[in-house]
Amino acid sequence: MPDKLTDLIAELALANRILAHEGVLDAFGHVSVRHPTDPGRYLLSRARSPLLIEPDDILEYTLDSAPVKPPKVHLYAERVIHGCIYQARDDVMAICHHHAPAVMPFCIAGKPIDPVFHLGATMGEHVPFWDQYDEFGDTNLLVVKPEEGQSLARALGNHSVVLMNRHGATVVGSGLKELVSRSIFICQNAEYQLRALALGSATPLHRGEIKLAGTISLMPNVVTRTWEYWSMRLQASGAMPPRRPAKSHRKSRKTRRGR
Ligand SMILES: [Zn+2]
């Protein structure tokens, strides 16, 4: 019988590596997914660069962002982003926080990212901004306090992505495959928008186009196709995560060594 949790943990490790390989995440940034059977918990790696994450790094957290089993490893300082959004949005099943070079000019200039091509429609009609300084004054710009995470979740509202001034972006999805597609398409859109502006103008999609193109671009068959494509690119680079050995397998190896 397939183990839902084990499969999702493997998928989360893969999502981290795909997003790192495609330039959304670098040494920083993180991806989480809501627990498959307990909506009051979520899964997130220990503090580690996303390209290196393995299934064994994945930990379980309550929505207050406390680890269920306190580990002896470092945790992401910004994990409240995940817990606070899961608390605020029942429909959100996966979250990515990143500082991708593609979106940073918009976060710094305070200029909106608009959907300018069909796949960019996956961001939705409007992308709100959140400026940590407005509510919290001088900080190190990391979102570490529950009240900061709650403020960010309020700014996100019912949207799919929120841009964080002078910091990065936080993207949400109804599952890991949708999240990965949306995160990558928003970065592509930001790059295209900037290049088009250099040519003179970047005309956004019309409201009806955003709805139609956004819906079709996130259909299960589409996000499965893109997931396979990005997985194959990751595999070709030799950076696929190891599959976590089954517990029974580990035990038998230990026993063998003991003999
Ligand atoms: Zn950050």
Side-chain angles (χ1 to χ4, degrees), residues 128-139:
F129 274 95
W130 179 71
D131 194 324
Q132 193 161 348
Y133 188 85
D134 289 346
E135 205 173 324
F136 302 100
D138 289 334
T139 64

Side-chain angles (χ1 to χ4, degrees), residues 117-258:
F117 82 122
H118 63 306
L119 298 172
T122 53
M123 76 180 75
E125 202 177 318
H126 175 65
V127 176
F129 274 95
W130 179 71
D131 194 324
Q132 193 161 348
Y133 188 85
D134 289 346
E135 205 173 324
F136 302 100
D138 289 334
T139 64
N140 59 12
L141 275 89
L142 298 182
V143 183
V144 293
K145 295 177 183 167
E147 54 268 34
E148 292 167 341
Q150 288 155 5
S151 172
L152 176 67
R154 279 196 300 277
L156 172 69
N158 288 321
H159 301 286
S160 298
V161 53
V162 55
L163 293 186
M164 302 153 75
N165 293 79
R166 304 174 301 286
H167 181 163
T170 299
V171 187
V172 301
S174 64
L176 275 174
K177 290 187 174 75
E178 178 182 300
L179 177 79
V180 165
S181 275
R182 177 177 281 135
S183 300
I184 292 173
F185 292 150
I186 289 172
C187 287
Q188 290 175 346
N189 189 100
E191 284 174 11
Y192 298 158
Q193 188 176 342
L194 212 54
R195 287 189 217 168
L197 279 171
L199 293 174
S201 65
T203 311
L205 271 61
H206 297 96
R207 182 177 285 183
E209 290 176 327
I210 295 169
K211 198 163 183 229
L212 292 168
T215 302
I216 199 167
S217 304
L218 294 175
M219 298 280 283
N221 61 318
V222 178
V223 296
T224 300
R225 175 169 161 173
T226 49
W227 180 271
E228 280 180 351
Y229 169 68
W230 291 315
S231 297
M232 188 51 73
R233 281 166 54 85
L234 182 69
Q235 192 171 24
S237 77
M240 284 295 271
R243 298 285 298 186
R244 184 163 60 171
K247 276 183 184 156
S248 55
H249 177 63
R250 284 184 192 157
K251 257 186 203 161
S252 66
R253 282 185 61 186
K254 206 172 174 183
T255 312
R256 274 203 301 274
R257 275 202 302 272

